Amino acid sequence: MHILTQSLLSFVLLLALAWGLAVLWIQAPGGHGLRLIWMALWAASVLGGLASVWVQHRYAVPARWALAAAAAILAIWWISLAPSNQRDWADDVAHSLTGSTQGSIVTLHNIRNFDWRSETDYTVRWQDASYDLETLQSVDMALSYWMGPAIAHTLVSFGFADGRHLVFSVEIRKERDESFSTVGGFFKQFERSIIAAEERDILYVRAGPRGEQVFLYPIQMPQAAMRQLFLAYVNSANRLAKAPKFYNTVTANCTTLVYDMVRPIVPGLPMDIRLILSGYLPEYLYRHGGLDTSQPLDVLHTQADITQRAAQAGPVADFSRRVR
């Protein structure tokens, strides 16, 4: 039992070592050199404590106290990291979406409608618009693949009777000098952002300039549920504008947050690993009646692939019609 206890404690310390090194590498202030110093101090503290678990010597107790002090300092610093809406944001997430409702009319502020020529060459355009939920006709799920079949970015597009399609996307809110990092998403590197954008912006930039594979699946959903989901996005965006939150790669990402919004609308919708491995979401939706089950899933998958049409269309006014 003594050896088992020592082994378990050692395992916990090794996990703490890895976690602390990752946190310090991503978040520690002071530049590259100082970051390495913080990492070395943390490693020395943990390794000293680890040695004291197995070898009883006169430095064992001081090593444990040093580890406890280092762990307390690291924990206090970690807890002190707070999200903010006041940073030097990248252009594509520079503004916070907000909205207000009057009857069936929803007015949104800061809808993104960029003209993308490449990932770094674009015309910035943010606009306001109103939408009548009485005319809401369709909901489509867009999946954009960039790193294999298991991982995709999830977007939800709402179609209206006048031909407009508005896309909501839960994304990292990166600063001007940052780029997406899956690992960074575990360690408070990014704030959370809800973007509302025209399809000609947000679907085109993924299929065209970024070279991602984009699929668009029509979702089977009653109109009342469509309205509830639309309003859930708006309410979530309003809350983020007032009280920012961190993005998390697993617990608060582009798919799990959509699930949180849909679950009150569709009671009994189960948790599933495919909510994390979002590239397999079509299988999940097909199984639970979210897609047209009168056709085989592979047929729906082929029909949903809009990559070529989207890339060829470019950011044109009738983009939504062309990709459909």
Side-chain angles (χ1 to χ4, degrees):
M1 285 299 297
H2 181 65
I3 293 175
L4 178 60
T5 300
Q6 288 176 306
S7 300
L8 290 175
L9 183 56
S10 298
F11 179 69
V12 170
L13 288 175
L14 289 173
L15 288 179
L17 173 63
W19 180 85
L21 291 176
V23 168
L24 292 168
W25 175 252
I26 292 169
Q27 290 281 37
H32 183 72
L34 191 54
R35 187 181 300 137
L36 292 177
I37 293 174
W38 293 127
M39 293 171 68
L41 290 172
W42 173 246
S45 299
V46 176
L47 293 175
L50 183 62
S52 73
V53 172
W54 292 95
V55 180
Q56 297 301 316
H57 52 77
R58 62 177 179 170
Y59 299 114
V61 174
R64 292 169 187 171
W65 279 109
L67 173 59
I73 293 171
L74 183 64
I76 292 170
W77 168 73
W78 170 254
I79 293 170
S80 73
L81 295 176
S84 172
N85 279 331
Q86 307 301 320
R87 303 193 195 278
D88 183 18
W89 303 113
D91 289 337
D92 57 335
V93 290
H95 296 284
S96 296
L97 173 70
T98 58
S100 59
T101 305
Q102 196 165 32
S104 66
I105 306 299
V106 180
T107 300
L108 299 180
H109 306 283
N110 297 320
I111 299 168
R112 203 180 76 194
N113 189 16
F114 284 21
D115 287 322
W116 295 92
R117 291 172 289 277
S118 72
E119 278 202 87
T120 56
D121 180 18
Y122 46 81
T123 300
V124 174
R125 185 187 300 110
W126 297 89
Q127 61 192 34
D128 299 342
S130 295
Y131 299 86
D132 186 352
L133 295 186
E134 293 288 347
T135 68
L136 181 56
Q137 292 185 329
S138 66
V139 170
D140 298 307
M141 178 187 71
L143 291 176
S144 185
Y145 294 79
W146 80 97
M147 57 179 298
I151 303 298
H153 183 70
T154 306
L155 311 92
V156 178
S157 180
F158 294 84
F160 292 83
D162 59 6
R164 290 185 296 171
H165 290 264
L166 184 72
V167 181
F168 287 101
S169 175
V170 178
E171 302 189 359
I172 65 167
R173 196 174 190 189
K174 59 184 182 294
E175 296 177 57
R176 193 169 297 278
D177 59 346
E178 289 181 323
S179 57
F180 177 77
S181 166
T182 301
V183 176
F186 287 102
F187 298 107
K188 297 184 179 181
Q189 184 176 1
F190 308 111
E191 276 78 6
R192 190 189 311 169
S193 176
I194 294 181
I195 296 293
E198 298 283 341
E199 285 189 341
R200 65 181 294 277
D201 168 331
I202 203 164
L203 296 187
Y204 168 68
V205 70
R206 289 180 174 274
R210 295 183 187 174
E212 299 175 9
Q213 193 170 16
V214 180
F215 293 79
L216 194 64
Y217 294 89
I219 301 299
Q220 306 291 305
M221 180 179 284
Q223 190 187 51
M226 296 180 192
R227 296 179 190 173
Q228 286 180 266
L229 182 56
F230 189 98
L231 291 173
Y233 270 110
V234 176
N235 292 334
S236 295
N238 284 337
R239 288 193 293 269
L240 283 180
K242 292 180 180 179
K245 294 182 180 296
F246 284 117
Y247 181 94
N248 186 280
T249 301
V250 171
T251 61
N253 60 42
C254 63
T255 306
T256 57
L257 292 173
V258 176
Y259 171 78
D260 290 340
M261 288 186 278
V262 171
R263 187 170 52 179
I265 302 171
V266 185
L269 199 62
M271 286 292 294
D272 193 291
I273 188 61
R274 287 168 289 195
L275 297 171
I276 305 299
L277 303 178
S278 50
Y280 302 123
L281 264 180
E283 289 90 336
Y284 175 83
L285 292 172
Y286 191 82
R287 179 179 179 182
H288 297 288
L291 301 180
D292 180 8
T293 54
S294 67
Q295 300 186 72
L297 182 58
D298 58 348
V299 172
L300 295 180
H301 185 73
T302 300
Q303 294 173 347
D305 188 352
I306 65 166
T307 308
Q308 186 174 1
R309 294 196 298 274
Q312 290 178 346
V316 293
D318 63 342
F319 177 89
S320 297
R321 182 189 62 79
R322 295 193 187 194
V323 299
R324 286 170 176 77

